[in-house]
Amino acid sequence: MPKRTFDCRNSTQPGIVHIDETDTEEKLDLPWNVVVHNDPINLMNYVTMVFQRVFGYPRQKATLLMMEVHTSGRSIVWSGAREQAEHYVHQLHGHQLLATLETSEP
Amino acid sequence: MTSFTIERIGEDAVSINGIDDATLALLHEVPSILHYRSHPSVSKRLFPDVKPGDEQVSEEFHEATDPDLEYLFASAEEILIRDLAGIRDGSIEIPDTHVRAWMSALNQARLILAELNQIDAADMGRGEFDPDEKKDLAVLKIHFFGFVLHLFIDL
């Protein structure tokens, strides 16, 4: 796995993380999934609001994903390139949601 | 008795009214609750591993993002403290830009109380409480802060 470095120091805005790649030969990643896990404390409408803010999802889609988190215990709320997935997880952590990353199975 | 309300004033400000003594006392507890952010179990919740089972990825992510999260959480706390000091006659007007800070601080407090008191879904679903029990009191506070958070979400 290539060495990756992150640097928040040059961030001009809270919540924005700059990621510098130190290895340009990184092969194409499998899609990275952003997973949100259920917790008994976060309000359901709070989670919906966060999905709308972070991903720009319309209310209906955000509500469906929130309900999946609530009923299934987790939901893949976004899939794609690693950098963007990391950015989203960082944003979700900023809103205190329990979010993790996982790679899609080939 | 005035009811506790949060409403928009134009596009740039929010008015919080009906803050009675009990409500004010609870809101003033938030900063002291937030001091527990560095408690080990709380820290694991507010700064979770990004990829459980992959220590390297999680560690790199912690190094990159934890300082930024700490700044975000601490900034929210500072804004809340300043605003609380400005409450007069049960009311305060805050700029719209402070709303996210209030929501962050209130939600942090809810999560911290839950971690410190090992509160689970069953505790959150209970309808009867003994305010003399530490855990029950924590659940009641979580519900109260949730009520205030709910008002902000509905703005």
Side-chain angles (χ1 to χ4, degrees), chain B residues 18-37:
Chain B
I19 307 171
D20 59 22
D21 289 346
T23 302
L24 187 60
L26 281 167
L27 290 174
H28 273 297
E29 276 191 42
V30 172
S32 57
I33 295 168
L34 299 187
H35 285 169
Y36 286 94
R37 266 199 302 266

Side-chain angles (χ1 to χ4, degrees), chain A residues 4 6 8 14-15 32 39-43 45-46 49 53 82 86 89-90 93-96 98 100-101, chain B residues 45 48-51 60-61 64-65 68-69 71-73 100 103-104 107-108 110-111 114 121 146 150 153:
Chain A
R4 293 163 57 83
F6 306 82
C8 287
W32 285 62
D39 76 68
I41 307 301
N42 275 321
L43 299 172
N45 56 351
Y46 178 76
M49 181 202 74
R53 278 188 183 172
R82 178 177 178 177
E86 288 173 332
V89 169
H90 181 49
H93 288 175
H95 288 90
Q96 300 120 38
L98 205 45
T100 58
L101 284 175
Chain B
R45 174 60 187 84
D49 285 344
V50 71
K51 200 162 186 280
E60 286 176 358
F61 196 80
T65 63
D68 191 53
L69 283 184
Y71 172 80
L72 274 176
F73 296 158
R100 282 193 187 203
M103 293 173 78
S104 173
N107 206 47
Q108 287 177 60
R110 300 180 81 240
L111 294 167
H150 186 82
I153 293 168

Side-chain angles (χ1 to χ4, degrees), chain A residues 15-84:
Chain A
I16 302 295
V17 180
H18 294 281
I19 302 174
D20 299 323
E21 295 285 348
T22 56
D23 186 337
T24 55
E25 295 178 357
E26 184 171 10
K27 62 185 177 187
L28 285 175
D29 274 334
L30 293 168
W32 285 62
N33 298 329
V34 175
V35 183
V36 172
H37 304 263
N38 189 39
D39 76 68
I41 307 301
N42 275 321
L43 299 172
M44 293 166 80
N45 56 351
Y46 178 76
V47 175
T48 301
M49 181 202 74
V50 172
F51 288 167
Q52 288 181 272
R53 278 188 183 172
V54 170
F55 300 104
Y57 291 154
R59 185 171 183 80
Q60 189 179 14
K61 179 173 181 177
T63 303
L64 283 172
L65 289 170
M66 177 278 293
M67 284 307 297
E68 188 176 12
V69 173
H70 182 67
T71 56
S72 304
R74 51 170 268 156
S75 176
I76 295 172
V77 295
W78 190 86
S79 284
R82 178 177 178 177
E83 269 187 50
Q84 188 65 44

Side-chain angles (χ1 to χ4, degrees), chain B residues 7-27:
Chain B
E7 56 193 7
R8 285 203 174 279
I9 305 174
E11 290 184 1
D12 302 327
V14 168
S15 174
I16 307 171
N17 299 296
I19 307 171
D20 59 22
D21 289 346
T23 302
L24 187 60
L26 281 167
L27 290 174

